[in-house]
Amino acid sequence: MLKRIWIIFNRDLKVNAKDALSLYILLIPFLLGLAINLFSPGITDTSIRFALIEGENQDHVEYFQQFAKVELFKNEEDIIKRVEKRDAIIGVIPEKGNYYLMTQGNEPEEIIDFAKLLKSFYERGVSIENSNVKLVELDRKVPPLKKTMVNLSILMISILGGMLIALNIIEEKTDKTLSAIFLTPTKPSSYILGKSLIGVFLSIFGSIILVVITDFGGINLLQLVVVTLITSLLSIIIGFIEGLTNDDVIGAASSIKLLFLPLIAAVIATELLSQKWQKFFYWDPFYWAYKANDLILSQTGSWRRVWLYSGLVLLICGGIYIILAPQIKKRLH
């Protein structure tokens, strides 16, 4: 049995490496990791920007760069053009040994106040070393936005694992090899396990690759594997159903993409809604998976809570399997 499971998995892996769409799905964890590193801000990053004249006063430029993003321009006319654009940026113009702030008039008040304060500090010679302020992170050891993006990507990878299973089944149906498989000693249970391995492989190893690329490698990887494995069960079930009921790739991919709706709902519920609305999303397995991953990525999750959330995901997936299992068995015979 194990040998036949391995043969099915090995065959899928070789086929996916040659198919453009399947290969793209296999490479998604790398691409997501690179994109997150490129676009996500750091925990101390700021969106406040200043426009200064290049070469006018290097000490002045370096001082402002400690606290905000600085864009350099050749002269005052270029700064005026830049400030007049739609986004919020404040020009810092030298005038008779001093500086004045140039604004368009629609900048947020807090940005203008920050600019006035920073200008005053520079004129008074206040440096970071003169401050006794401490940064309190409130248990946030990683950038909140980056953690959310990684968490969302992990769940997306599990869905893509189900899509990969569906594509492989459709490919076998197209080649007329699906029915031939059951003329061999291969049992339906061996076929299901063998086909599931490619989805599990992508979900687990893709998630590990993602967290390593995005500098979350210090988390408890075993906890991540447990949550990812259990979460991928839903995608595997849906992947089998769509693969067996569809005869073309586009139809199967479109159906599986519907799983992104409860995924996005889980993220919105967790990140944006108050606690009183959370109960309306308890039915969503991605809701509990997201909360479990959040604990793991924050490095604040105990095994007890991870097992609790994972158990709830498993319970919901079990209910879905009970409903869909008869259809899967029927179409395999």
Side-chain angles (χ1 to χ4, degrees):
M1 179 178 179
L2 293 177
K3 182 179 179 180
R4 296 189 180 279
I5 292 174
W6 172 252
I7 291 173
I8 295 172
F9 168 71
N10 194 39
R11 184 257 183 200
D12 286 344
L13 200 57
K14 291 179 180 179
V15 171
N16 293 152
K18 297 177 182 179
D19 180 74
L21 179 58
S22 299
L23 183 59
Y24 173 73
I25 293 176
L26 288 172
L27 294 177
I28 278 289
F30 294 97
L31 301 177
L32 287 175
L34 294 176
I36 290 173
N37 282 339
L38 183 62
F39 295 109
S40 62
I43 195 168
T44 57
D45 282 356
T46 177
S47 59
I48 299 176
R49 289 173 293 173
F50 294 101
L52 283 75
I53 296 178
E54 184 177 7
E56 186 274 330
N57 186 338
Q58 187 61 31
D59 290 339
H60 187 224
V61 172
E62 292 176 355
Y63 186 86
F64 271 67
Q65 285 177 335
Q66 296 179 78
F67 306 97
K69 295 179 180 178
V70 174
E71 297 182 19
L72 300 177
F73 299 88
K74 293 182 179 180
N75 49 53
E76 183 176 341
E77 288 72 20
D78 290 342
I79 293 180
I80 293 175
K81 293 179 181 178
R82 179 66 183 87
V83 171
E84 288 178 345
K85 292 185 178 181
R86 295 183 62 182
D87 57 340
I89 184 171
I90 297 178
V92 184
I93 310 297
E95 183 182 51
K96 298 179 181 180
N98 206 332
Y99 294 90
Y100 72 90
L101 301 177
M102 176 184 293
T103 64
Q104 187 178 14
N106 60 352
E107 293 82 1
E109 185 178 349
E110 59 270 16
I111 293 181
I112 296 177
D113 291 340
F114 179 83
K116 291 178 180 179
L117 192 62
L118 191 57
K119 173 178 175 290
S120 176
F121 283 169
Y122 174 76
E123 293 172 349
R124 295 172 181 269
V126 178
S127 64
I128 294 179
E129 289 75 16
N130 299 131
S131 174
N132 59 0
V133 174
K134 296 181 180 179
L135 177 63
V136 179
E137 298 179 351
L138 299 176
D139 291 330
R140 294 187 183 270
K141 297 180 173 61
V142 295
L145 179 58
K146 185 175 184 179
K147 183 180 65 174
T148 299
M149 294 170 67
V150 171
N151 196 344
L152 177 62
S153 298
I154 291 173
L155 298 180
M156 286 177 57
I157 290 172
S158 71
I159 294 177
L160 293 176
M163 186 178 294
L164 205 56
I165 293 173
L167 296 180
N168 289 332
I169 295 176
I170 292 173
E171 185 268 338
E172 288 190 351
K173 290 169 64 177
T174 303
D175 293 344
K176 308 296 183 181
T177 59
L178 181 59
S179 57
I181 290 177
F182 297 109
L183 297 177
T184 69
T186 302
K187 297 179 180 179
S189 58
S190 299
Y191 179 79
I192 292 174
L193 290 174
K195 281 296 177 185
S196 300
L197 280 182
I198 191 68
V200 173
F201 172 82
L202 176 62
S203 298
I204 293 179
F205 287 96
S207 297
I208 292 175
I209 290 170
L210 177 68
V211 298
V212 171
I213 292 177
T214 52
D215 299 324
F216 284 88
I219 65 174
N220 190 323
L221 292 178
L222 185 57
Q223 289 181 340
L224 179 66
V225 169
V226 170
V227 175
T228 304
L229 176 61
I230 294 176
T231 305
S232 65
L233 295 178
L234 174 62
S235 302
I236 290 171
I237 296 170
I238 301 300
F240 268 99
I241 284 292
E242 297 304 328
L244 293 170
T245 56
N246 286 278
D247 294 322
D248 63 280
V249 172
I250 296 177
S254 299
S255 300
I256 291 178
K257 283 192 292 186
L258 292 175
L259 285 177
F260 286 108
L261 294 178
L263 170 57
I264 298 301
V267 178
I268 293 175
T270 306
E271 299 293 342
L272 300 180
L273 300 183
S274 61
Q275 190 62 39
K276 67 178 181 179
W277 299 105
Q278 302 289 311
K279 59 185 177 182
F280 294 104
F281 296 88
Y282 287 173
W283 58 269
D284 189 347
F286 293 112
Y287 172 82
W288 300 109
Y290 186 86
K291 291 178 73 70
N293 286 335
D294 186 71
L295 293 176
I296 296 170
L297 295 174
S298 302
Q299 301 185 42
T300 57
S302 63
W303 272 107
R304 180 180 178 182
R305 295 184 68 184
V306 169
W307 280 119
L308 173 61
Y309 293 150
S310 300
L312 290 170
V313 175
L314 183 61
L315 183 64
I316 296 171
C317 291
I320 296 174
Y321 175 77
I322 292 173
I323 296 172
L324 298 180
Q327 298 184 43
I328 296 176
K329 293 178 180 179
K330 179 180 179 182
R331 293 182 178 274
L332 283 176
H333 289 287

